[in-house]
């Protein structure tokens, strides 16, 4: 069983900036989301039972993991293969800034595949290769604290989805995806 968590809301999430390999701190809401996810995992797994937690090396995921660790005992492992997709030159930019600085670069792109057009950014096949390698190596049961786009790809590869299907998956920050037995279940945080 693998519990997949997206980091809590960040200042750049709230401002509409694409972080990629850059970082911004969690907002108050993001910290609350992380604490709620920790409580949900504690209820599901048991607070006293140690479990491996793979964490993206990016600050927002590490900050989320620190908060989750207040609720559940986790042995944290930094895992670069679950870091967010880098947007290269577009890391830290808003969609408006991308369109202004790179006219026409997003022409014909869907709401999701534009990520892989960024100058100097990662390409879809490379991201899939690193995620697939991690999925083969991951020891379960485990928690993985990662990112929005990366979480789409993890779930899509796990379910054998097409590229458009996986890139259109939702990426909420207020719950956990449980990957088990070839199924993916969303566990929302109680309100």
């Amino acid at each position: 069983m693998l519990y997949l968590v997206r980091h809590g809301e960040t200042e750049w999430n709230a401002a509409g900036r694409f972080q990629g390999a850059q970082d911004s701190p969690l907002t108050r809401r993001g910290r609350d989301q992380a604490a709620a996810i920790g409580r949900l995992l504690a209820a599901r797994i048991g607070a006293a039972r140690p479990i491996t937690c793979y964490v993206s090396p990016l600050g927002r995921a590490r900050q989320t993991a620190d908060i989750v660790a207040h609720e559940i005992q986790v042995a944290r492992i930094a895992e670069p293969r679950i870091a967010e997709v880098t947007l290269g030159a577009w890391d830290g930019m808003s969609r408006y800034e991308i369109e202004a600085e790179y006219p026409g670069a997003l022409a014909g792109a869907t709401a999701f595949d534009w990520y892989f057009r960024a100058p100097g950014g990662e390409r879809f096949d490379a991201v899939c290769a690193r995620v697939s390698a991690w999925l083969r190596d991951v020891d379960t049961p485990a928690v993985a604290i990662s990112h929005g786009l990366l979480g789409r790809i993890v779930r899509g590869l796990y379910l054998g989805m097409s590229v458009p299907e996986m890139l259109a998956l939702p990426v909420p920050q207020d719950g956990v995806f449980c990957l088990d037995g070839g199924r993916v279940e969303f566990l929302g945080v109680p309100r």
Side-chain angles (χ1 to χ4, degrees):
M1 188 168 306
L2 176 63
Y3 296 96
L4 182 61
V5 175
R6 180 180 180 195
H7 61 79
E9 180 189 72
T10 68
E11 290 176 5
W12 282 6
N13 289 144
R17 293 200 169 279
F18 304 107
Q19 294 170 110
Q22 291 189 10
D23 245 327
S24 70
L26 298 183
T27 61
R28 166 52 115 183
R29 180 177 181 208
R31 291 188 300 276
D32 290 346
Q33 289 167 334
I37 286 170
R39 290 189 297 274
L40 180 129
L41 288 170
R44 181 84 179 212
I45 299 167
R49 180 178 167 206
I51 189 165
T52 301
C53 182
Y54 297 91
V55 182
S56 160
L58 296 172
R60 58 197 184 268
R62 290 192 332 261
Q63 190 179 3
T64 300
D66 289 345
I67 296 167
V68 167
H70 286 291
E71 301 294 335
I72 185 169
Q73 197 176 65
V74 291
R76 286 179 260 178
I77 298 173
E79 179 50 74
R81 293 177 292 181
I82 61 170
E84 184 61 292
V85 175
T86 180
L87 303 177
W90 296 351
D91 279 350
M93 296 178 82
S94 68
R95 190 170 183 100
Y96 174 81
E97 290 167 335
I98 293 168
E99 289 174 351
E101 289 190 38
Y102 297 87
L106 300 177
T110 69
F112 306 105
D113 71 356
W114 68 268
Y115 298 110
F116 301 101
R117 294 176 177 220
E122 280 185 279
R123 297 298 172 243
F124 182 78
D125 290 342
V127 175
C128 286
R130 73 173 158 98
V131 169
S132 293
W134 176 71
L135 283 170
R136 284 190 302 273
D137 294 345
V138 69
D139 287 326
T140 56
V143 173
I145 300 178
S146 188
H147 307 275
L149 180 54
L150 202 283
R152 285 178 173 137
I153 294 169
V154 169
R155 289 179 286 141
L157 289 172
Y158 182 79
L159 293 171
M161 295 177 135
S162 70
V163 175
E165 289 173 322
M166 77 172 69
L167 293 180
L169 289 170
V171 289
Q173 290 169 310
D174 60 351
V176 176
F177 289 96
C178 179
L179 287 65
D180 188 36
R183 295 183 356 256
V184 174
E185 175 187 6
F186 180 68
L187 310 172
V189 171
R191 303 213 186 259

